[in-house]
Amino acid sequence: MSELTLKTETVDGVAVFIPAGRIDSQTSKTFEEAVLAAIAAGSTRMVFDFADLAYISSAGLRVVLLAGKRVRTAGGKLVLANLQPAIREVFEISGFLNLFTVTDDRAAAVAATA
């Protein structure tokens, strides 16, 4: 069973998304809609804090890539934080670690969006 809980907060003008659970083909639309709504509202500095993310599928990776492109096009930056070992492995295998700045904690990620 797919389950995703998504918290959002704003820290120093940075939109921080904190998904917990799974981002897969069943839950990625929820994540995508929240992220794209924030971008449409003018957010150009974003952090995805994956500390509580248990699984991400290719559908979830697509949302991360889409968000990164849109934020970059708007002159901003998307930073990833707290990749757990299994999640980091997915990002490493997919080559996404070369596309995004990755930090070990949320505060460093917020600072890295500047």
Side-chain angles (χ1 to χ4, degrees):
M1 179 175 177
S2 293
E3 189 170 315
L4 172 68
T5 302
L6 182 60
K7 294 182 194 171
T8 60
E9 58 186 55
T10 302
V11 179
D12 296 332
V14 177
V16 179
F17 293 83
I18 310 157
R22 299 172 57 94
I23 302 176
D24 56 24
S25 61
Q26 295 182 15
T27 61
S28 63
K29 187 159 182 68
T30 299
F31 186 50
E32 180 177 348
E33 288 174 352
V35 170
L36 294 183
I39 294 169
S43 292
T44 58
R45 296 169 52 210
M46 288 189 167
V47 169
F48 291 171
D49 184 343
F50 289 148
D52 296 322
L53 189 66
Y55 175 80
I56 188 165
S57 72
S58 59
L61 291 175
R62 186 190 70 77
V63 176
V64 173
L65 186 61
L66 176 67
K69 285 182 177 180
R70 294 223 178 151
V71 166
R72 201 171 301 126
T73 298
K77 189 171 184 181
L78 169 63
V79 177
L80 309 178
N82 292 317
L83 300 182
Q84 300 305 305
I87 302 300
R88 178 177 286 279
E89 184 177 359
V90 171
F91 276 82
E92 185 173 356
I93 290 170
S94 66
F96 276 41
L97 290 182
N98 297 322
L99 302 175
F100 297 97
T101 300
V102 179
T103 67
D104 290 334
D105 65 67
R106 190 181 309 167
V110 168
T113 63

